[in-house]
Amino acid sequence: MPGSATSNRRTPALTREQVAHRALEVLDREGVEGLSMRRLAADLGVGTMTLYGYFRGKAELLDAVVDAASEDFDPPAPRGTWREQVVAYADATRAWLLRHPVVVQRRGEAAIQRPAASRITEGLMRLLLDAGLEPPEAARAFRALFIHVFGSVAFAPREATAQEARELHAALLTLADDEFPALRAVAPHAADALGGAEQFRFGTELLLDAIDARRGR
Amino acid sequence: MPGSATSNRRTPALTREQVAHRALEVLDREGVEGLSMRRLAADLGVGTMTLYGYFRGKAELLDAVVDAASEDFDPPAPRGTWREQVVAYADATRAWLLRHPVVVQRRGEAAIQRPAASRITEGLMRLLLDAGLEPPEAARAFRALFIHVFGSVAFAPREATAQEARELHAALLTLADDEFPALRAVAPHAADALGGAEQFRFGTELLLDAIDARRGR
DNA sequence: ACCTGAACACCGTTCAAGT
DNA sequence: ACCTGAACACCGTTCAAGT
């Protein structure tokens, strides 16, 4: 049947979304260095250059990857005080970024202007406005929280393991006591503050203490 | 004079420090993507493989680059209240990171354990201890400030230009008003909160408000 | 219309060899 | 002891061609 063979040829074997989702899977699993156009194409069972029929280049593919990741954001149920809601929203955003480190990396290169990602921004901004912040203060408070969330994932993503905690403690105690008295003094506590969920919560609460105190002032 | 020719041959044409400083210059000027072993070697007028006589590989070179960058940190004079000193220290650290983006990138990959960089950590930790924070709180407060400083440079490094401000404002107003009411409400203020020195100071002050309020509690 | 191999201009690093 | 060209195993992307 030549007719049906012809129409089959006109139907692309893949969609942009399928390619982007597969790329996201690879990035989630193997990390941000793990994706190349060649490797992704091989993964999908197509020639490398086939991908360039779907995307102008890797940058455009990564935009679509961020869109695919954005679908996976899990907004918390709006329960509790505004402050509890912001805490829950920050935690949800952190968890989302930990699942999809490519989003953090991509945001480090340039601001993300994608409708799907803007929905996540919208949710937090709305909580701040609903809390009674005026738009200028809401914008500033939003950015401070944004930096805290992205900064935590980029620079303090997880707790130290017991092994790492011991090593960090020991490493700090090897420092000269005349030159590093402060680092030596906090050595037993450094691992607790290295990163992870508790340290993240601590930072969120600090910011909210101050945002709350300034509210309506 | 064969004797002196022989001893000249034994003296390396370069030192690790010279190579690291040149690499830092290239990275500061051209950005984090601008450095390759081949390009750096050509810059120094040596064969690519010569660099591997000084460094085991690119990772070790980048460690030395971070050391070279650390020399350039400019600690503020200890003047004013502890709070003013922390603000000045945060500003100095931000300015330093803006001069040397490779440090931010490198810290995003793994914690930096280099004595030269630890001196910068020490300075801030000492301010917090001197302010009367107990070591566990100092460690947590330090990390919150650290995330703010690194996060700001990574994700909100500079102010919007007038042009960018107009474009951001306009872009936010193209969003659907039923789906993005909060982003539309803050549209006129979004550019002010995009990044740069003022937004950075705002975040620093938020954290210090809360750290101060908790001090000694 | 859709797909793709070959080629180009890059990487970091290993190896073997040159002085 | 110090330096390095050739080679290997990768990149992203352009080009020209195949169905």
Side-chain angles (χ1 to χ4, degrees), chain A residues 16 48-56:
Chain A
R16 281 173 65 97
T48 304
M49 291 318 302
T50 302
L51 298 179
Y52 289 79
Y54 296 89
F55 302 98
R56 202 181 293 276

Side-chain angles (χ1 to χ4, degrees), chain A residues 142-162:
Chain A
F142 171 87
R143 185 64 60 199
L145 287 163
F146 173 91
I147 288 165
H148 167 61
V149 174
F150 275 72
S152 291
V153 175
F155 302 111
R158 56 180 190 77
E159 291 83 1
T161 63

Side-chain angles (χ1 to χ4, degrees), chain B residues 35-87:
Chain B
L35 190 84
S36 74
M37 297 299 270
R38 290 163 192 261
R39 187 193 181 304
L40 176 61
D43 231 60
L44 291 163
V46 297
T48 304
M49 293 318 302
T50 302
L51 298 180
Y52 289 79
Y54 297 89
F55 303 98
R56 202 180 291 276
K58 197 177 186 182
E60 198 176 290
L61 166 63
L62 289 175
D63 282 342
V65 164
V66 169
D67 289 342
S70 297
E71 289 172 25
D72 181 49
F73 176 69
D74 203 23
R79 261 200 294 272
T81 64
W82 74 269
R83 216 180 135 139
E84 286 164 346
Q85 290 188 45
V86 171
V87 167

Side-chain angles (χ1 to χ4, degrees), chain A residues 22-24 26-27 30-37 39-40 58 61-62 65:
Chain A
R22 182 60 146 268
L24 179 61
V26 174
L27 286 162
E30 321 253 329
V32 167
E33 303 301 306
L35 189 84
S36 73
M37 297 299 270
R39 188 196 180 301
L40 176 61
K58 197 177 186 182
L61 166 63
L62 289 175
V65 164

Side-chain angles (χ1 to χ4, degrees), chain B residues 176-197:
Chain B
D177 55 356
D178 55 336
E179 206 183 356
F180 297 100
L183 290 185
R184 290 178 61 99
V186 302
H189 312 285
D192 288 340
L194 195 70

